[in-house]
Amino acid sequence: MNEAWVNIGWANNAVRLDLKRVQGCSGLGVMQLRFHVEASCRDEAAAQKPLWFEGRLFAEGLGSTNGYVRQLAVEDSPVTLHSLAATTNFMLVADVDHRQLQVIEEYRTGGMKFRLQLTGTTMNDGNLERIGVGSIECELTQSDWAAILEQMQYRRLLLIELDAPDANRSYEFKVALDYYRDAERHYLKQEWRLTVEALRQSLAALVGKTADEEDEATDVETAFKALRREAHKTKVGYSPRAEQVRRALKFMCDLGAHPETAETTKVDAYSTLLMAGGLLHEWQN
């Protein structure tokens, strides 16, 4: 049901809340779900009284990932119905982040279903009084949900999140992970060349080497030719291929050792940070 009833004092069903539509909105680092609600006065007990609503948003239909999403708040509060049979519109909003949408998209099999669990208060004879509010169920078709994702610009973002690898796998892996964390710190400080230089150290440490080793183009070329010859004889699995990726990525990061900081840009630092992070994640398997 896309509706809920508000009970005020002894007056049951004093206000009807009717969910009209749902929109998405893009923000700075977060996005927003906006629920357009129409309130209609059905009893004199609700007329001329300010109503404050709040609540919690729940996602349903996602298997074991069902549950709480975010707090709901009224954009312009309070809501006031000035007379019997009067109607007014207000907005319930919930901020969501990219990680939450990523989880939803991972487990969603079709449309989307939300439950808005609402509570509220009103002013009665100068005193705040709790009012009873039901839940609103909101079911969106797959096409409606796709449109909301587009409004939130979710599909315009390339988002990569990886679990932190286990640093206790080996001494070499721990050292490589420490260098990677140094690279993250340099990136936050907008030190692009130092970011890539730290990644260079990390990729070398993975195999127990120093950054100044295997820094020639011939090293990468020789290793590639050897792997290609082996591939003609037998099936080459992921591990030797990952080692070839490490060599090539290490060669790319060797440019970070260049003393001219202007040579390494933000795009260089960001792309190599993502690629090295993915390789570290693969290396622990």
Side-chain angles (χ1 to χ4, degrees):
M1 295 290 290
N2 284 5
E3 64 177 38
W5 290 89
V6 180
N7 302 323
I8 300 177
W10 296 102
N12 292 330
N13 299 342
V15 177
R16 180 186 175 185
L17 303 180
D18 189 10
L19 178 61
K20 293 297 185 181
R21 59 193 175 97
V22 186
Q23 284 183 304
C25 180
S26 176
L28 186 62
V30 296
M31 291 161 287
Q32 197 172 69
L33 286 169
R34 302 169 67 83
F35 299 88
H36 296 252
V37 180
E38 180 186 82
S40 56
C41 184
R42 299 303 180 91
D43 193 288
E44 289 284 2
Q48 297 293 336
K49 288 185 178 178
L51 305 174
W52 290 272
F53 295 109
E54 60 185 5
R56 295 188 295 172
L57 180 66
F58 294 84
E60 299 182 345
L62 301 174
S64 61
T65 62
N66 287 340
Y68 171 74
V69 180
R70 280 293 169 93
Q71 290 288 113
L72 285 164
V74 176
E75 192 168 59
D76 295 310
S77 198
V79 176
T80 305
L81 295 160
H82 296 288
S83 62
L84 184 63
T87 62
T88 189
N89 295 291
F90 65 94
M91 194 92 66
L92 284 165
V93 297
D95 291 336
V96 293
D97 58 34
H98 296 102
R99 176 58 179 164
Q100 288 175 303
L101 288 180
Q102 186 180 13
V103 172
I104 287 174
E105 289 304 282
E106 182 177 351
Y107 290 97
R108 181 176 62 87
T109 57
M112 192 62 208
K113 185 176 181 180
F114 291 108
R115 178 167 54 87
L116 289 67
Q117 183 176 302
L118 302 177
T119 59
T121 56
T122 188
M123 185 70 71
N124 190 11
D125 295 330
N127 297 313
L128 286 176
E129 178 182 300
R130 298 294 295 177
I131 56 179
V133 187
S135 295
I136 299 178
E137 293 184 357
C138 171
E139 196 158 356
L140 301 165
T141 65
Q142 185 167 350
S143 59
D144 288 341
W145 178 244
I148 290 172
L149 289 176
E150 188 68 24
Q151 290 167 354
M152 292 190 287
Q153 299 187 7
Y154 174 71
R155 294 179 177 178
R156 300 182 189 180
L157 176 71
L158 177 63
L159 179 68
I160 300 176
E161 290 192 15
L162 301 171
D163 294 330
D166 182 8
N168 297 319
R169 179 177 177 181
S170 67
Y171 172 76
E172 291 81 7
F173 193 82
K174 181 181 182 304
V175 174
L177 194 57
D178 287 341
Y179 277 123
Y180 187 84
R181 287 169 176 155
D182 287 341
E184 289 181 313
R185 285 189 284 270
H186 287 305
Y187 185 83
L188 291 175
K189 296 178 182 178
Q190 300 186 355
E191 299 169 338
W192 314 133
R193 188 190 68 79
L194 293 179
T195 299
V196 176
E197 169 62 18
L199 292 173
R200 175 175 176 257
Q201 302 278 354
S202 176
L203 292 164
L206 267 179
V207 291
K209 295 183 178 181
T210 65
D212 291 333
E213 296 182 76
E214 58 179 12
D215 61 350
E216 298 294 332
T218 53
D219 295 325
V220 180
E221 184 180 0
T222 300
F224 177 76
K225 288 180 178 178
L227 187 64
R228 185 171 57 182
R229 285 195 298 270
E230 184 180 351
H232 288 312
K233 300 175 184 178
T234 183
K235 181 178 179 180
V236 177
Y238 280 99
S239 294
R241 292 174 188 234
E243 164 58 14
Q244 184 62 34
V245 171
R246 185 201 65 81
R247 284 178 177 269
L249 188 54
K250 162 65 171 54
F251 181 63
M252 177 181 178
C253 290
D254 285 338
L255 288 173
H258 197 281
E260 294 183 5
T261 57
E263 182 171 296
T264 304
T265 67
K266 180 179 181 179
V267 173
D268 299 323
Y270 184 64
S271 60
T272 50
L273 194 66
L274 289 180
M275 288 187 285
L279 186 65
L280 283 170
H281 195 266
E282 161 66 21
W283 211 265
Q284 67 174 338
N285 295 327

